[in-house]
Amino acid sequence: MKPADKRQIKSATRMYLVQALFQMEASDTDAETVREQFVNHRFGAQEEEHEWMEGNAGFFERVLLAAVNNQAKIDQHTDQALVEKWPLKRIDPTLRALFRAAGAELVAEATPPKVVISEYVDVTKAFFPEGRESKFVNAVLDHMARALQPGKF
């Protein structure tokens, strides 16, 4: 396998963020335990049947903490972007984790919102390759980004 470039590593890190946030919710695990598991045991790990891509530990840690520290704000903006009949608690837990990761990046990172939207739509396609979820995620993230960073559009 050829070495990954910085963009590929950051994209892989976004995938890891969604997995970590999902794991935190599903197993009631704290952020520090999940951070340690991913940074020390998943990033770049080689298993018999799978080779994990390298991750950007600093970016992972910043966005993970931003997701935890800003969860109420992020969830509120996600709820506002969803139709009334579909509150965040009814959304698939993978999508909930994805919205929290993307929301954290919109709140706490300097990444342009259009890049955040594009990257997390790609992450959605990895988790739901057959579904329409990517269009749904695009619409919700666009709404969130415009609310959180109105000056960037």
Side-chain angles (χ1 to χ4, degrees):
M1 188 164 127
K2 68 177 186 170
D5 65 24
K6 288 181 182 183
R7 185 177 181 282
Q8 290 173 314
I9 291 171
K10 210 163 192 183
S11 293
T13 304
R14 288 181 174 102
M15 177 80 76
Y16 292 140
L17 280 160
V18 173
Q19 293 171 340
L21 290 166
F22 176 90
Q23 181 177 327
M24 286 175 62
E25 181 179 338
S27 64
D28 198 29
T29 307
D30 65 90
E32 181 54 30
T33 300
V34 169
R35 183 207 64 77
E36 185 178 308
Q37 288 172 357
F38 275 78
V39 172
N40 295 334
H41 304 290
R42 181 100 33 111
F43 289 9
Q46 294 186 10
E47 298 172 353
E48 203 171 293
E49 296 180 20
H50 187 78
E51 187 173 338
W52 296 92
M53 212 168 164
E54 200 54 56
N56 180 323
F59 177 69
F60 180 86
E61 292 166 359
R62 286 193 317 272
V63 177
L64 183 67
L65 286 176
V68 170
N69 293 335
N70 296 290
Q71 184 174 327
K73 177 181 181 176
I74 293 164
D75 286 357
Q76 179 184 14
H77 281 281
T78 305
D79 266 335
Q80 291 170 356
L82 297 168
V83 293
E84 282 185 34
K85 294 179 182 176
W86 290 101
L88 185 60
K89 64 185 176 204
R90 286 187 62 193
I91 297 297
D92 178 274
T94 303
L95 291 177
R96 215 174 15 253
L98 185 139
F99 291 139
R100 288 175 178 152
E105 202 167 335
L106 289 167
V107 168
E109 291 290 313
T111 311
K114 290 180 181 182
V115 172
V116 172
I117 294 166
S118 175
E119 286 286 323
Y120 284 97
V121 165
D122 286 347
V123 170
T124 305
K125 290 174 183 174
F127 284 111
F128 302 97
E130 309 274 326
R132 293 180 286 174
E133 289 84 356
S134 60
K135 290 180 182 177
F136 172 66
V137 166
N138 186 55
V140 171
L141 291 181
D142 183 70
H143 188 278
M144 288 173 64
R146 289 174 189 276
L148 289 166
Q149 297 187 13
K152 301 273 175 105
F153 288 89

